[in-house]
Amino acid sequence: MQKTKKYFADSELIINPDGSAFHLHLRPEQLADRVILVGDPGRVKLVASHFDTVECEVSNREFHTITGIYHSKRITVQSTGIGCDNIDIVVNELDALANIDFITREEKDSFRQLTMVRIGTCGGLQPDTPSGTFIASVKSIGFDGLLNFYARRNEVCDLDLEEAFKTHVDWNPLLCAPYVVDNDADLISCVAKDDMVRGITIACGGFYGPQGRELRLPLADPHLNEKIETFVHSGLRITNFEMESSALAGLSRLMGHRAMTCCMVIANRRAKNVNLSYKNTIDDLIQLVLDRI
């Protein structure tokens, strides 16, 4: 018996009058199989400046997209803005563009797999991750709680590491339940090679309190970062903070896509220093990813 195709109602998959995805304003034919994700909309042009040719450019709010050709590879570079909530929008709409027919509003017969690499900035948490270090996330711990809203969450998560982490830091039950997801191992081998530090990345739900920064408001647990820095599991340490990798890894694994995050350290939290001129050097990381994706 033929399986009935799932139909996506107007209210669930919102399509603009020009046939583009609601937030991204991107049409299905404008999306490449290889996607580079950046947080800063301004960084899209920096990545695309390496392209041999540009096919299209679309912009809406913080979502800026350029698709073009780099050394015979068709690549889309897409900005996400800041936070896992924006990753939820971007990854769901990219998957819809690839795997839902925007005319019939039904899932396509054949699955189209996307390869997504996030290039970002982060805070280093270990002595050997000074400013300028490139870090590839082997696993991502989500403090944001996003993946907990989706079915089959436990099937893609490292449940042993989750429990070990919660025990080690004495996790506050008032916070979202953390989830731990592997980034794509084959993609890491291809992109990170032997010149990026590998480790566990924490994706935080904010820049200040959730990352242990204290300004005028005191922290609920002022020692949380110290406990995070001493956590070790199966030989891996927590190397860095950022704000998007867990949602990217989790949603991609649930959907069947390949994804990873690599970041350049711009602040070392232990050394309490920051490099504000990082925009002049992140182009080196961009070049590596373009060559290896």
Side-chain angles (χ1 to χ4, degrees):
M1 181 180 295
Q2 186 175 4
K3 183 180 178 181
T4 302
K5 291 184 180 180
K6 185 175 181 179
Y7 177 82
F8 303 92
D10 292 7
S11 61
E12 309 309 295
L13 174 63
I14 303 175
I15 300 174
N16 297 318
D18 66 351
S20 64
F22 182 57
H23 294 93
L24 302 186
H25 281 213
L26 200 63
R27 298 193 306 275
E29 69 273 13
Q30 296 174 315
L31 175 65
D33 290 343
R34 294 180 177 93
V35 183
I36 291 177
L37 301 175
V38 295
D40 182 0
R43 197 172 297 152
V44 171
K45 282 191 178 292
L46 177 59
V47 176
S49 68
H50 296 279
F51 288 178
D52 303 310
T53 58
V54 169
E55 174 185 316
C56 67
E57 181 172 2
V58 179
S59 186
N60 179 53
R61 299 187 181 184
E62 62 265 54
F63 307 114
H64 185 190
T65 314
I66 295 178
T67 295
I69 303 297
Y70 176 80
H71 294 184
S72 301
K73 295 183 289 190
R74 187 170 184 250
I75 296 174
T76 292
V77 53
Q78 171 73 59
S79 66
T80 65
I82 296 174
C84 284
D85 51 345
N86 275 10
I87 294 294
D88 183 62
I89 291 171
V90 171
V91 173
N92 270 288
E93 292 195 4
L94 290 178
D95 177 74
L97 287 162
N99 292 298
I100 297 176
D101 187 316
F102 273 34
I103 303 299
T104 65
R105 292 182 164 275
E106 295 177 340
E107 190 169 354
K108 293 180 179 178
D109 292 327
S110 58
F111 173 69
R112 178 183 172 192
Q113 185 182 60
L114 302 176
T115 296
M116 295 179 279
V117 177
R118 165 170 146 70
I119 301 174
T121 56
C122 67
L125 292 172
Q126 300 296 339
D128 60 347
T129 58
S131 294
T133 303
F134 296 163
I135 297 179
S137 305
V138 175
K139 295 176 181 285
S140 295
I141 302 178
F143 280 8
D144 54 284
L146 175 69
L147 211 67
N148 300 328
F149 287 90
Y150 289 92
R152 299 176 35 244
R153 170 251 200 241
N154 283 3
E155 295 177 19
V156 300
C157 288
D158 186 333
L159 303 181
D160 289 340
L161 196 153
E162 285 179 12
E163 292 305 314
F165 176 78
K166 287 189 291 185
T167 298
H168 181 81
V169 302
D170 190 20
W171 187 255
N172 184 343
L174 294 177
L175 302 177
C176 296
Y179 59 94
V180 182
V181 187
D182 289 340
N183 288 245
D184 188 271
D186 291 338
L187 191 56
I188 291 172
S189 295
C190 181
V191 173
K193 293 190 182 294
D194 59 358
D195 49 14
M196 294 187 192
V197 172
R198 287 166 166 78
I200 302 172
T201 296
I202 290 180
C204 295
F207 185 77
Y208 290 96
Q211 295 189 30
R213 290 184 173 91
E214 183 173 338
L215 299 184
R216 292 184 59 245
L217 293 177
L219 301 173
D221 183 354
H223 301 292
L224 179 59
N225 277 16
E226 298 169 21
K227 292 180 281 188
I228 287 171
E229 291 164 5
T230 58
F231 178 73
V232 180
H233 189 84
S234 299
L236 285 175
R237 300 169 302 160
I238 297 174
T239 48
N240 58 320
F241 276 147
E242 50 85 80
M243 298 176 65
E244 290 85 17
S245 66
S246 58
L248 174 60
L251 292 175
S252 296
R253 284 180 65 85
L254 285 174
M255 294 172 178
H257 301 299
R258 304 169 67 222
M260 68 167 290
T261 291
C262 50
C263 289
M264 184 180 76
V265 176
I266 64 168
N268 187 282
R269 301 301 300 282
R270 297 187 71 169
K272 297 188 183 302
N273 57 35
V274 62
N275 173 21
L276 293 177
S277 62
Y278 69 89
K279 292 183 180 180
N280 298 325
T281 55
I282 198 169
D283 198 44
D284 293 338
L285 179 56
I286 291 171
Q287 187 72 66
L288 282 179
V289 173
L290 283 170
D291 288 336
R292 298 172 180 178
I293 190 173

